[in-house]
Amino acid sequence: MNIVILSRNPHLYSTQRLIEEGRKRQHKVEVIDPLKCDIIIEKEKPTIYYKDRYLDYVDAIIPRIGASITFYGCAVVRQFEMMNVFSIVSSGAILRSRDKLKSLQLLSKAGIGMPKTVFTNYSRDVEEVIAHVGGVPVIIKLLEGTQGLGVVLAETKNAAESVLEAFNGLEARVIVQEFIKEAKGADLRALIVDGQVVGAMKRQGKEGEFRSNLHRGGSAKIIKLSDAELKLAMNAAKALKLPVCGVDMLQSARGPLLLEINSTPGLEGIEGATGRNIAKAIITYIEKNR
């Protein structure tokens, strides 16, 4: 089988692991930069041209599309879909997951538990916004943020007002969320492949840090999810139609709460913490569906 990994950096851990596992199973695996692909739109003959050749021999793709290239990256994934090439996640699902507001709205409708969240276009009513999420402290998030960037903990009303005014001045869209104190700076990441949890870890933020992202110095260890946590992770992935994804959750006094879903989750942290061969599971998923 000819498998293409859509990635801008062939040296990343996740990309290297997928290459390794794919080749172990006798597949031809190559890395292609989606920004260097030309999308050729023609009646009944959609094609993609890359460097010196047409990509008309590809059987399956693994999108590793960074948030900064979502628009063009998804256009490339969509073009492969038009060519009847199997993708482990669809272009539509990636777009849904990258739109934090839309994804939270869809997940709420699907009955997924999550922290109280407010989106407003009129942030001068700070007191009202804070009241809607249960009072300070609150979390303020950029809708386009990633890896913990653009996430602020506002511990007082004045701090929340200042942050919202600053983001407003930058014309940046934000959501305000309830702060889950009992989570103690930790969250859970469940890795979903083929709709099932294949690995889970607990990420703990470093001392004094409320964000648990490994990119920000957090640590991770393997964890066995409760039935409620397993159910939430699988239902959330199903609601956004993401057969392969990372589901981030918080442990709260009222049960697990969804934090966000990542349609192109990194493999280094989860494989390191759990010892599970996640890359192999992804290649096996392709084999089952191609």
Side-chain angles (χ1 to χ4, degrees):
M1 194 186 313
N2 291 303
I3 300 174
V4 160
I5 301 171
L6 294 173
S7 173
R8 299 211 66 208
N9 186 350
H11 305 297
L12 291 175
Y13 175 92
S14 301
T15 304
Q16 285 296 312
R17 286 287 296 118
L18 289 163
I19 293 170
E20 179 185 357
E21 291 300 327
R23 289 175 179 170
K24 271 186 188 177
R25 299 174 75 87
Q26 308 306 310
H27 302 302
K28 292 181 180 178
V29 185
E30 64 178 315
V31 180
I32 283 176
D33 183 346
L35 293 188
K36 294 180 179 176
C37 290
D38 293 331
I39 297 171
I40 301 173
I41 301 169
E42 187 179 355
K43 181 182 178 182
E44 296 181 355
K45 193 183 177 184
T47 53
I48 294 175
Y49 190 77
Y50 179 74
K51 292 185 176 178
D52 58 351
R53 64 193 187 278
Y54 292 98
L55 302 181
D56 53 5
Y57 55 86
V58 180
D59 298 303
I61 59 170
I62 302 174
R64 303 289 309 171
I65 305 295
S68 62
I69 63 162
T70 296
F71 176 80
Y72 198 81
C74 283
V76 173
V77 174
R78 192 182 308 117
Q79 187 76 351
F80 273 115
E81 292 167 347
M82 297 301 103
M83 296 160 60
N84 296 316
V85 173
F86 176 75
S87 176
I88 64 166
V89 286
S90 71
S91 56
I94 295 172
L95 287 169
R96 271 193 299 276
S97 70
R98 292 281 165 83
D99 185 333
K100 287 183 183 176
L101 179 60
K102 183 177 182 179
S103 65
L104 288 174
Q105 289 173 312
L106 292 170
L107 292 162
S108 174
K109 181 176 172 59
I112 305 297
M114 62 187 70
K116 294 173 186 174
T117 303
V118 174
F119 176 66
T120 179
N121 198 42
Y122 189 66
S123 60
R124 274 178 270 181
D125 293 330
V126 175
E127 285 189 29
E128 194 172 296
V129 169
I130 290 172
H132 283 314
V133 298
V136 290
V138 296
I139 300 292
I140 301 173
K141 291 182 180 179
L142 277 173
L143 286 178
E144 288 81 19
T146 183
Q147 294 181 353
L149 297 172
V151 181
V152 177
L153 171 63
E155 301 192 70
T156 66
K157 173 184 168 292
N158 286 340
E161 191 169 2
S162 297
V163 172
L164 287 170
E165 284 176 356
F167 280 140
N168 247 12
L170 295 169
E171 298 183 351
R173 296 176 301 162
V174 300
I175 56 175
V176 179
Q177 279 190 327
E178 166 191 16
F179 177 61
I180 307 300
K181 184 178 180 180
E182 59 267 34
K184 297 178 181 177
D187 70 10
L188 309 179
R189 161 67 64 93
L191 209 298
I192 304 279
V193 177
D194 200 8
Q196 301 296 313
V197 175
V198 295
M201 63 179 172
K202 184 171 186 174
R203 303 183 297 188
Q204 180 67 56
K206 63 182 180 181
E207 187 71 29
E209 175 62 75
F210 71 95
R211 294 164 293 187
S212 59
N213 306 71
L214 300 184
H215 292 87
R216 308 197 67 82
S219 59
K221 64 179 181 180
I222 189 171
I223 189 172
K224 183 177 181 181
L225 299 180
S226 68
D227 289 344
E229 289 159 353
L230 284 167
K231 184 178 179 182
L232 184 148
M234 291 188 289
N235 286 348
K238 184 178 179 181
L240 292 190
K241 299 180 181 177
L242 283 167
V244 178
C245 62
V247 180
D248 297 340
M249 300 171 280
L250 294 174
Q251 293 176 309
S252 81
R254 61 181 188 269
L257 301 175
L258 184 126
L259 199 53
E260 65 179 3
I261 297 188
N262 189 326
S263 53
T264 54
L267 304 185
E268 186 171 9
I270 192 82
E271 287 197 337
T274 65
R276 302 279 176 83
N277 192 335
I278 308 295
K280 180 181 177 182
I282 292 171
I283 299 300
T284 302
Y285 170 64
I286 292 173
E287 292 169 345
K288 283 175 59 180
N289 288 273
R290 180 61 182 86

